[in-house]
Amino acid sequence: MTLIVLALAWMVGIFLADALRLPLWHLVAGSVGGGIAAIVLRHHPRLRLFFLAICVAAAGGARLAAAEIPVLPHSIRLLNESGEVQIRGIVVEDPRRLADGQRVVMVADSVRVGNAWKPAEGLALVTLPRYPERFYGDRLELTGALTTPRAAARPGEFDYRVYLARRGIFSLMKPEQSRLIASNQGHPLMTALLWFRDQARRTLLRELPEPQAALAVGILLGLQSSIPDDVLEHFSAAGASHILVISGWNITIISTALYSLADGLKLERRKAFWSILITIWVYTLFVGATPTVIRAAVMGSIVVIGQRLDRPAHAWTTLFAACWAMTLWNPQTLWDMGFQLSALATASLFAYGKGTEALLMRTPLRVGWLDWAREALTATLAAQILALPLILYAFGNLSLIAPLANVAMLPMVPSAMLFGAIALVGGMIWLPLGQWLALPAYLFLAGLTEGARLFGQLPWAAVQLPPFPLWLLLAYYAIVVGAWLWNASVTVET
């Protein structure tokens, strides 16, 4: 319990330091003072915990303040809105492929002033034509105007400037000219992983017809950009968008399903635990070990570990320890929507998974041959208790058909991933072999696309809710979490 309190204090400290813009040295002093008070009061458990929480909260705020990117004399953001410039730099993330172009994040290292190149620093989000394709580690020379990301027009709207600033990006560019200077200038391991993922993408696109090929690329490799817009709309309306990408929610649900499958096959729980955990991390390396995929793997691993321990206290400690570690590495992660949804979905499964299953056991789904449907519906409903309100607050799209769609579609996801992976491995060895092996994968992928189309096209499948205030979202969480805590305390007492 102490570790959970301290992890919460750390994240609250990060949030307050951002909201109040507290100076670094004040936060350091607060952390040291809280630590000294905790040592002095070590024989008073409650006071010691209180001051330890203050110490950790101030340390979290100090971590955020220390991570802020200062404006230096050679920062490229100072050149925003100053007309045409020439900059050189290296692509530091896997480019995002779009239908009409590609977006790359480039770290600048030099800028041309007059006839001389001078040192520069800072990230820029660059929009380039679809071809020639650029890759992680490419060193580019760009000519164009740097611009400042747009801010929210009014309070409550999405603020693109703040969103990019949390990623360390303060400049945009759509260059008139771009030139490749050198390749393979990034980290060798990341270069190799991303090259391998790109080869896997190309293999899948040659093994399967569309839109099943794009769906396989999204499910297996986490690349959603090639999925047609109409397919994306169908999955969104059906409340099954989490199937399309490698996310914490996706891996959480799949991990739960795999554990249930292992139980059904009477496999020893310890062997199933290590097999699933190793599979998650081998898969993470296979698809490129990008920050998004690593976050998803961490959350999926937490569910696997929590189910292996079968002790709620240990599972919760593992979850909060992982959240602390991720925000220690990058405190801006706290505002990442993917992180928030992953953490909420995982917490929701821990808190409401058994209760949701107990309720479903009172329905016709309790019969043995419907175990697959009950497990899928349990994971879907339990995860959405805490995650869905945030989705509604951020996007406003409520899928009324989601429970039924997920019961029908989620059981196909593990099979689509399994046979898709087999076809991918076979195709990378010899393409004709992969094309033959892709037939079972095609059947399951086609089932997913057709299921999303049928459910998503129902006239009452989804509704758009009007925006609602933040206080209403917080009130919901206060009531739901408070009721769970009260019920948990009553259970412990009895």
Side-chain angles (χ1 to χ4, degrees):
M1 185 64 182
T2 299
L3 291 176
I4 293 175
V5 170
L6 295 181
L8 278 172
W10 171 271
M11 289 182 280
V12 169
I14 292 175
F15 176 80
L16 291 178
D18 179 79
L20 302 176
R21 310 305 300 173
L22 299 175
L24 173 61
W25 294 112
H26 291 185
L27 292 164
V28 171
S31 181
V32 172
I36 293 173
I39 294 173
V40 172
L41 297 169
R42 60 185 179 278
H43 299 300
H44 302 272
R46 292 186 177 180
L47 288 175
R48 182 189 62 182
L49 181 60
F50 174 76
F51 283 105
L52 269 178
I54 290 178
C55 171
V56 171
R63 175 67 185 92
L64 176 71
E68 288 188 0
I69 302 173
V71 181
L72 302 174
H74 49 280
S75 296
I76 61 170
R77 72 175 91 169
L78 297 176
L79 300 174
N80 290 359
E81 325 300 341
S82 63
E84 185 176 278
V85 297
Q86 279 186 293
I87 60 173
R88 289 175 177 170
I90 297 174
V91 177
V92 292
E93 293 183 7
D94 192 31
R96 182 183 178 191
R97 317 292 178 188
L98 304 173
D100 57 349
Q102 51 189 326
R103 289 181 183 170
V104 305
V105 177
M106 189 182 82
V107 58
D109 55 38
S110 57
V111 60
R112 187 168 185 173
V113 179
N115 294 322
W117 287 91
K118 294 187 176 181
E121 68 86 30
L123 294 175
L125 180 62
V126 182
T127 302
L128 297 170
R130 186 69 179 86
Y131 297 100
E133 289 188 342
R134 302 304 185 191
F135 300 94
Y136 168 82
D138 283 354
R139 179 171 168 77
L140 305 176
E141 179 181 298
L142 308 176
T143 302
L146 290 167
T147 60
T148 302
R150 69 179 185 277
R154 54 182 177 270
E157 285 189 343
F158 174 71
D159 195 318
Y160 192 51
R161 183 179 300 176
V162 172
Y163 168 77
L164 289 180
R166 295 200 183 282
R167 296 176 56 193
I169 300 172
F170 301 93
S171 301
L172 304 177
M173 177 181 267
K174 191 172 184 179
E176 299 173 2
Q177 299 177 18
S178 66
R179 181 171 70 92
L180 177 65
I181 300 174
S183 301
N184 300 322
Q185 302 298 298
H187 191 283
L189 177 59
M190 183 58 68
T191 298
L193 288 172
L194 293 179
W195 176 87
F196 189 73
R197 183 170 73 162
D198 189 64
Q199 297 305 305
R201 175 181 68 88
R202 296 172 187 271
T203 300
L204 287 170
L205 292 177
R206 297 175 67 184
E207 287 181 342
L208 293 160
E210 293 291 359
Q212 286 73 34
L215 187 63
V217 170
I219 291 176
L220 289 172
L221 307 179
L223 300 172
Q224 196 176 3
S225 57
S226 60
I227 300 176
D229 290 340
D230 61 330
V231 176
L232 289 173
E233 291 173 3
H234 292 157
F235 273 87
S236 177
S241 296
H242 53 88
I243 292 175
L244 298 177
V245 294
I246 302 171
S247 66
W249 194 340
N250 192 19
I251 290 183
T252 292
I253 292 174
I254 292 174
S255 300
T256 303
L258 290 176
Y259 244 129
S260 300
L261 178 63
D263 288 342
L265 295 175
K266 309 300 182 183
L267 297 178
E268 186 180 343
R269 200 167 182 82
R270 181 176 60 83
K271 293 181 179 179
F273 163 72
W274 287 112
S275 298
I276 294 173
L277 196 62
I278 291 171
T279 299
I280 288 174
W281 285 100
V282 169
Y283 180 61
T284 300
L285 292 175
F286 173 77
V287 300
T290 58
T292 301
V293 179
I294 290 174
R295 182 193 66 229
V298 168
M299 289 301 173
S301 299
I302 290 169
V303 173
V304 174
I305 293 171
Q307 292 173 332
R308 172 68 178 90
L309 295 173
D310 203 24
R311 297 181 63 178
H314 288 185
W316 284 105
T317 300
T318 305
L319 171 61
F320 279 95
C323 292
W324 169 80
M326 295 168 75
T327 53
L328 173 65
W329 177 260
N330 180 10
Q332 296 292 352
T333 300
L334 193 61
W335 287 271
D336 183 277
M337 180 65 72
F339 167 77
Q340 294 171 2
L341 290 175
S342 295
L344 286 173
T346 305
S348 199
L349 279 172
F350 287 166
Y352 306 106
K354 291 184 177 179
T356 302
E357 185 176 21
L359 289 175
L360 293 178
M361 287 296 290
R362 301 177 184 176
T363 71
L365 292 174
R366 66 179 178 273
V367 296
W369 66 274
L370 286 177
D371 283 349
W372 61 271
R374 188 177 67 252
E375 295 293 345
L377 189 57
T378 296
T380 301
L381 294 178
Q384 291 197 22
I385 291 174
L386 293 181
L388 181 61
L390 180 60
I391 295 174
L392 297 180
Y393 175 76
F395 307 109
N397 187 54
L398 174 62
S399 176
L400 301 178
I401 198 67
L404 181 59
N406 278 276
V407 166
M409 296 168 63
L410 275 181
M412 291 186 280
V413 174
S415 296
M417 294 184 69
L418 173 62
F419 290 112
I422 292 172
L424 175 57
V425 173
M428 295 189 77
I429 296 172
W430 186 42
L431 184 60
L433 173 63
Q435 291 171 333
W436 279 101
L437 293 174
L439 179 58
Y442 168 77
L443 296 176
F444 286 103
L445 291 166
L448 288 172
T449 53
E450 284 302 301
R453 184 182 65 82
L454 292 173
F455 286 114
Q457 286 184 340
L458 293 174
W460 43 269
V463 295
Q464 190 69 28
L465 299 181
F468 55 89
L470 178 61
W471 67 263
L472 189 59
L473 176 70
L474 297 178
Y476 170 86
Y477 283 128
I479 293 171
V480 171
V481 175
W484 177 77
L485 290 173
W486 179 82
N487 182 67
S489 64
V490 170
T491 303
V492 171
E493 290 177 359
T494 57

